[in-house]
Amino acid sequence: MDNKSDQLGMKNTFVTISSAGPNRDPSKGTREQPLWDEHAAFIDQLVAEGFILMGGPLVDEGGSMLIVNADSENEVREKLKNDPWMKHGVLKLESVKRWQIFIDVRK
């Protein structure tokens, strides 16, 4: 094993990409979308739990990208399906990819 996280039993890093869902209003900004307050509270809770490491909107597309810390792709999908924006079609989860970080200038 040459992957430190595997050796230490740490979680994996995943990148998620979501697109604008059918109920996203393209005439409004991110914070003006339906259920913004509920979505923001949900995301804040996942940040507090250490699940979401980074994230934000894809400005020109109405979607989003998250960097998350999880055991498996299934865990990522299970957690994100409870996002009010996913439940109500403001966002649609497109992909969940396991990511091995080689470069991080913050370290």
Side-chain angles (χ1 to χ4, degrees):
M1 278 190 230
D2 60 351
N3 182 334
K4 274 188 185 176
S5 66
D6 287 344
Q7 292 173 0
L8 300 175
M10 294 170 60
K11 293 181 179 265
N12 297 299
T13 302
F14 291 87
V15 176
T16 73
I17 301 287
S18 297
S19 62
N23 294 326
R24 181 179 177 84
D25 184 342
S27 70
K28 294 182 178 177
T30 300
R31 289 183 169 94
E32 300 168 321
Q33 294 299 319
L35 301 167
W36 163 256
D37 291 339
E38 295 85 346
H39 166 73
F42 177 82
I43 294 297
D44 288 348
Q45 180 59 42
L46 293 182
V47 170
E49 292 172 8
F51 177 74
I52 294 177
L53 304 176
M54 297 176 75
L58 298 170
V59 178
D60 296 330
E61 301 173 25
S64 71
M65 184 170 104
L66 297 174
I67 308 296
V68 303
N69 196 26
D71 289 323
S72 66
E73 178 181 335
N74 189 53
E75 179 187 357
V76 175
R77 291 182 181 279
E78 284 297 310
K79 281 193 185 263
L80 294 181
K81 78 178 184 184
N82 294 314
D83 180 344
W85 275 10
M86 296 288 181
K87 285 182 173 181
H88 293 94
V90 178
L91 281 178
K92 179 183 173 199
L93 184 60
E94 294 291 342
S95 69
V96 177
K97 306 277 186 191
R98 193 167 155 220
W99 182 37
Q100 185 176 15
I101 301 169
F102 278 12
I103 301 163
D104 186 344
V105 298
R106 297 169 301 158
K107 291 183 180 181

